[in-house]
Amino acid sequence: MKTLIIAEAGVNHNGDVEIAKKLCLAAKEAGADVVKFQTWITEKIITQNVEQAEYQQENTGSDQSQFDMLKALELPFDAFRKIKRYCDEIGILFASTADEMDSLNFLIELGIPFIKLGSGDLGNISYLRAIGAKKMPVILSTGMGTLADVERSVQALREGGATDITLLHCTTNYPCPYENVNLRAMDTLATAFGLPVGYSDHTMGIEVPIAAVARGARVIEKHFTLDRSMEGPDHVASIEPDELKAMVDGIRKIEVALGDGLKQPTAAEREISKVVLKRIVAAKSIPCGKVIDDDDICVKRNDTGLPASAWDILVGTKARRDYGVDEGIDL
């Protein structure tokens, strides 16, 4: 099954629609399925004096409040209309995470293919119920949460009416050290809830999301930017367009390599086996009619004769004809 690859542009547009469009084009050219942003009205999601998270302070070098930082990055609804139109023109799906109901209703009207919930809304019961009532596919990130937090959130979505839910394992740290990834937690989510799972990645590099696909991720979300040296809270923990393309290519190769799970030789292996698999040959001259014993035969690579696995079947039978040394033996 094809993995849904979400190129997370997030707030890496720096409040500029033209940069947002360039991000859309870069995602398209990299082969991503979806380019995703974040939509909010600052006054509806945060109070005035909340400090930035430590990673935000480190990444921005600023001590401004979260409110001021988010206000500077907020795009108006009309900007998202332009971005959506551009995505339609170039042929990539547009999506955005809504942090409050007004933005969610706007995005649904705009035509998003699914509702994406960030980890900050894990446990936001009333909002999750309202989202469930939209009866749309939901993708829920689970960073900063326990299994119990995820259970409460899934229950709230289902109480609202959601039936199509995908859970993304996530570690909310930008960038996320490898020792904090805990990719096996994705397996735990799959086992605990019986729902499709995926991975939202904040590591530096592309190895972990590719590994997540090998472990069964159905959705991969990865932050990307045009240039990591740009100012802003998320650029430094994002990959650049060439890395995004390498990640997409790696994931598509892994999808093919996963195969169908049946353990059987390929067509190429069947041809190779004709001259590589060991077969039973005569260890010495064997006259026709002789009862074959262990000393009469040995196993070597050969293009005729019974496979080595037929040893016990062959011993004790009579030779059908005369065999010279190294001739393949058949029943």
Side-chain angles (χ1 to χ4, degrees):
M1 181 174 290
K2 185 180 178 183
T3 307
L4 182 72
I5 301 177
I6 302 173
E8 172 63 21
V11 298
N12 284 341
H13 50 70
N14 285 3
D16 186 322
V17 173
E18 292 308 310
I19 294 176
K21 288 182 178 180
K22 290 178 181 177
L23 286 162
C24 296
L25 183 58
K28 167 67 177 178
E29 291 177 341
D33 300 298
V34 184
V35 61
K36 191 183 78 65
F37 295 88
Q38 296 170 17
T39 307
W40 71 85
I41 299 169
T42 305
E43 290 79 4
K44 292 180 180 289
I45 67 167
I46 193 166
T47 56
Q48 292 275 349
N49 299 315
V50 180
E51 293 182 355
Q52 292 185 56
E54 184 177 348
Y55 83 86
Q56 292 171 332
Q57 293 179 18
E58 292 177 356
N59 293 350
T60 63
S62 169
D63 61 357
Q64 68 180 159
S65 68
Q66 270 203 65
F67 182 96
D68 291 339
M69 179 190 72
L70 291 174
K71 195 65 181 175
L73 294 170
E74 178 186 324
L75 284 175
F77 289 174
D78 191 54
F80 285 111
R81 290 188 183 95
K82 294 175 182 176
I83 295 167
K84 170 64 163 60
R85 280 198 299 271
Y86 183 69
C87 287
D88 292 343
E89 289 172 9
I90 64 174
I92 188 170
L93 288 174
F94 164 88
S96 191
T97 294
D99 287 319
E100 31 75 26
M101 276 313 295
D102 287 350
S103 293
L104 177 64
N105 289 330
F106 160 73
L107 290 170
I108 292 173
E109 181 182 344
L110 196 59
I112 51 174
F114 51 79
I115 297 173
K116 172 59 173 61
L117 286 162
S119 298
D121 282 311
L122 192 68
N124 188 353
I125 301 302
S126 61
Y127 189 44
L128 292 167
R129 286 179 182 143
I131 284 170
K134 300 296 184 182
K135 306 292 177 63
M136 288 182 63
V138 177
I139 300 175
L140 173 64
S141 285
T142 61
M144 304 176 289
T146 65
L147 204 60
D149 294 325
V150 178
E151 184 176 14
R152 281 190 289 269
S153 298
V154 170
Q155 182 179 351
L157 286 168
R158 285 173 168 163
E159 287 170 352
T163 57
D164 185 346
I165 303 169
T166 300
L167 301 174
L168 301 190
H169 173 54
C170 172
T171 304
T172 307
N173 197 358
Y174 303 78
C176 175
Y178 289 113
E179 61 268 23
N180 291 342
V181 168
N182 192 19
L183 204 54
R184 287 191 177 97
M186 187 180 73
D187 308 343
T188 302
L189 290 172
T191 301
F193 299 103
L195 294 171
V197 296
Y199 176 61
S200 179
D201 185 54
H202 300 138
T203 63
M204 300 297 291
I206 64 174
E207 299 88 352
V208 177
I210 294 174
V213 172
R215 294 191 76 89
R218 303 271 291 276
V219 177
I220 291 294
E221 180 181 81
K222 180 71 173 177
H223 282 259
F224 83 108
T225 179
L226 298 176
D227 185 344
R228 264 194 298 273
S229 67
M230 294 172 70
E231 292 185 2
D234 293 346
H235 291 288
V236 70
S238 302
I239 57 174
E240 294 180 348
D242 58 336
E243 296 169 298
L244 179 63
K245 185 178 189 312
M247 185 194 80
V248 172
D249 290 346
I251 286 172
R252 298 307 181 212
K253 289 174 182 175
I254 290 299
E255 288 172 339
V256 174
L258 286 171
D260 59 14
L262 298 176
K263 181 55 184 169
Q264 59 184 0
T266 65
E269 284 182 309
R270 283 192 287 271
E271 286 301 311
I272 293 168
S273 73
K274 293 176 182 178
V275 293
V276 170
L277 283 183
K278 302 264 180 81
R279 297 179 182 276
I280 300 173
V281 299
K284 54 189 176 183
S285 296
I286 305 173
C288 180
K290 181 184 183 302
V291 176
I292 297 172
D293 60 31
D294 289 335
D295 294 333
D296 292 320
I297 55 178
C298 63
V299 171
K300 295 182 180 180
R301 284 190 183 186
N302 198 42
D303 56 1
T304 62
L306 294 169
S309 58
W311 184 283
D312 290 341
I313 297 173
L314 182 61
V315 171
T317 64
K318 292 182 178 181
R320 296 172 56 194
R321 60 178 179 83
D322 293 338
Y323 289 99
V325 176
D326 281 348
E327 275 195 82
I329 299 181
D330 295 304
L331 285 174

